[in-house]
Amino acid sequence: MATRSTIMDTNSFRAEHAQALDKDVRALTERRSQLLGESYRLFYRNPVHLVRGQGQYLWDAAGDKYLDVYNNVASIGHCHPAVIDAVQAQMSQLNTHTRYLHERILDYSTDLLSTLPPQINKAMYMCTGSEANDLAIRVARSYSGGTGIIVSREAYHGTSDLTSGASPALGSGQPLAATTRLVAAPDRYRVADADLGAWFAAQIQRQIDDMAAHGIKFAGFLADSIFSSDGVLPGPAGYLRQAIEVVHANGGIFIADEVQPGFARTGDAFWGFARHGIVPDIVTTGKPMGNGIPVSGLLARAEVLAAFSDSIPYFNTFGGNPVSIAAAQAVLKVIREERLQQHSREVGGKLLQELQQLMQRHDSIGDVRGAGLFIGLELVSDRAAKTPDKTLALDVIEKLRAQRVLTSVAGPHGNVLKLRPPLAFQPQDIDWLVGALDNALAGR
């Protein structure tokens, strides 16, 4: 069987790279290998030893400054003082679980739900996006009475047993569940059909029919609305509506995984799914909601959640604890006060324009696409044939790292640069990023 791509092994350090490292970095990699499980991976042939972060910048042990164009977990910027202050203040008072009364989780839930369509009116909290998606799959199965879950071909939704079984991006070493079905990603660059919405809806229906042919009842479609692991595919706004209509017509629910596109990142809307004028049945979130503090959420229509919660108690020991919720509340406040949704739209738009101009100078750039501060830059060896160039993409990543710009790759061919900086990214950072890309593509 052919090996599928994997988000873990692309752009990773390997043992054969060790001889080229300086002695201090090599010693750290060796110590890490001795102490940590072999499943872990490091970025880059020459791993980066980071010691400090602020906003969109990071510093290594030698004091060198880097531009972070990858880390969405620190969504509003590394070490944001508002989050630090909120966490310190709450930690000095109380940190416990949700089986005691506490106002903070209720106040935050009211605030968070106000950002969503009114049909979504219930909240539950966990510590990670994996846990949120795991619970979402369980809820989908309880509500539908089925077990079948549809995801895109390079989807990543988590590391639990349920979510890894619906995360083909983890690679062929991680088997998919027998009840998981894959759909081709809605890639406007490579799909020739003029009506992307109708094309994608047909892909969904085909997999639902395949489930039925194998005695599997359809439960739901789980997707991140920008299909980030599939290569950052924003598509035209609104095209997802037809697919969700097919999902509902077949008795399933739509789970919007907003771990990456949510919380103002796409600029057009607070939530990624909102670009398409759709209302999910369940929305899941992850650590970006707390700027990296372990907190995640499941937000749902009451009637959908009831199918699970009316019969099964759920307790996530420190999911929704006061300290994590304080961080999440601080993030919401900062997004509003710093107008980060508008910022993401405007700065992301400027970055997209600059990258499109860069495309005119380099035939190796096949496509540039994105929404807000979430952009994919696809590298090819033949622009006319759209031939993916993974080798070039990985070399460019290393050359960017040498110019102290940090990012990585995505997509089924590993040839799409995934440009997803903290929302603290500023207009003046565009020159650093685009200049470094220009140098890397020119072989400088």
Side-chain angles (χ1 to χ4, degrees):
M1 183 179 68
T3 301
R4 295 194 302 269
S5 67
T6 165
I7 59 172
M8 295 299 294
D9 282 320
T10 306
N11 182 29
S12 63
F13 169 76
R14 301 179 187 279
E16 59 264 30
H17 302 142
Q19 291 304 313
L21 304 180
D22 70 47
K23 62 181 180 63
D24 291 338
V25 172
R26 184 164 62 183
L28 274 178
T29 64
E30 291 172 351
R31 186 179 178 205
R32 177 184 167 105
S33 179
Q34 292 167 0
L35 293 172
L36 302 183
E38 295 300 334
S39 292
Y40 283 118
R41 299 290 188 273
L42 282 164
F43 274 144
Y44 300 109
R45 298 163 195 163
N46 179 11
V48 186
H49 179 193
L50 296 175
V51 297
R52 184 166 69 90
Q54 185 66 53
Q56 67 276 40
Y57 304 121
L58 294 161
W59 285 263
D60 67 15
D64 292 325
K65 181 181 179 181
Y66 294 75
L67 176 62
D68 186 353
V69 193
Y70 188 69
N71 282 297
N72 70 310
V73 172
S75 58
I76 60 173
H78 295 281
C79 302
H80 198 291
V83 177
I84 293 171
D85 290 347
V87 167
Q88 287 180 335
Q90 184 59 54
M91 182 66 84
S92 69
Q93 296 174 356
L94 174 72
N95 199 27
T96 187
H97 53 70
T98 55
R99 297 189 73 178
Y100 302 111
L101 287 171
H102 198 274
E103 294 90 349
R104 191 176 283 281
I105 192 172
L106 305 178
D107 293 342
Y108 177 70
S109 296
T110 299
D111 200 0
L112 183 62
L113 289 169
S114 74
T115 68
L116 288 151
Q119 299 95 320
I120 300 174
N121 53 7
K122 288 284 186 177
M124 297 183 73
Y125 297 100
M126 307 86 210
C127 298
T128 68
S130 295
E131 292 174 310
N133 283 328
D134 186 288
L135 180 58
I137 292 172
R138 294 174 66 188
V139 172
R141 290 175 170 176
S142 293
Y143 180 76
S144 67
T147 57
I149 299 294
I150 295 175
V151 297
S152 58
R153 282 185 182 161
E154 290 295 321
Y156 171 69
H157 295 295
T159 57
S160 70
D161 186 53
L162 277 181
T163 57
S164 61
S167 293
L170 289 174
S172 56
Q174 169 61 56
L176 295 176
T179 52
T180 296
R181 292 293 183 275
L182 307 182
V183 288
D187 185 350
R188 177 71 288 167
Y189 178 56
R190 296 182 181 278
V191 173
D193 198 305
D195 190 336
L196 186 65
W199 177 89
F200 192 56
Q203 307 304 307
I204 298 286
Q205 186 64 61
R206 186 173 297 121
Q207 294 307 317
I208 293 172
D209 293 344
D210 180 74
M211 286 181 181
H214 289 84
I216 299 169
K217 186 175 180 182
F218 175 53
F221 172 48
L222 169 59
D224 112 45
S225 57
I226 203 163
F227 295 89
S228 52
S229 294
D230 291 276
V232 187
L233 307 173
Y239 85 91
L240 277 180
R241 282 198 297 267
Q242 290 169 269
I244 305 312
E245 288 170 0
V246 167
V247 168
H248 288 151
N250 285 272
I253 69 168
F254 172 47
I255 303 165
D257 181 341
E258 290 286 316
V259 173
Q260 296 190 62
F263 290 89
R265 175 157 293 279
T266 61
D268 294 336
F270 189 89
W271 300 99
F273 67 79
R275 291 181 64 245
H276 300 288
I278 53 180
V279 179
D281 301 287
I282 295 176
V283 175
T284 57
T285 67
K287 288 179 285 296
M289 72 187 284
N291 213 46
I293 293 291
V295 61
S296 64
L298 180 147
L299 312 157
R301 298 175 186 255
E303 66 274 17
V304 171
L305 186 58
F308 174 88
S309 60
D310 284 0
S311 58
I312 302 175
Y314 180 84
F315 177 52
N316 186 303
T317 304
F318 254 50
N321 69 76
V323 169
S324 292
I325 294 295
Q329 185 68 74
V331 168
L332 268 188
K333 184 179 180 184
V334 167
I335 289 173
R336 292 185 180 117
E337 290 182 349
E338 298 185 7
R339 302 174 71 211
L340 291 183
Q341 183 180 321
Q342 179 179 343
H343 173 85
S344 182
R345 181 173 64 251
E346 293 175 353
V347 177
K350 290 176 183 176
L351 175 57
L352 193 64
Q353 289 176 356
E354 291 292 328
L355 293 172
Q356 288 166 342
Q357 291 177 17
L358 184 68
M359 184 177 175
Q360 296 174 14
R361 299 200 297 274
H362 297 282
D363 289 341
S364 56
I365 301 177
D367 191 37
V368 181
R369 55 197 178 243
L373 284 170
F374 210 147
I375 294 174
L377 186 147
E378 181 151 354
L379 297 176
V380 295
S381 57
D382 184 324
R383 185 182 281 182
K386 302 180 181 180
T387 308
D389 197 336
K390 178 179 181 178
T391 300
L392 175 62
L394 294 179
D395 286 344
V396 166
I397 290 296
E398 297 294 335
K399 290 177 180 177
L400 289 176
R401 180 252 181 271
Q403 296 175 83
R404 302 192 180 98
V405 174
L406 304 179
T407 191
S408 192
V409 294
H413 310 291
N415 68 314
V416 179
L417 272 59
K418 190 176 184 179
L419 308 177
R420 184 193 53 180
L423 300 185
F425 187 90
Q426 296 296 322
Q428 60 266 28
D429 298 315
I430 294 175
D431 286 345
W432 186 352
L433 169 58
V434 175
L437 277 167
D438 193 13
N439 289 336
L441 292 168
R444 296 194 291 266

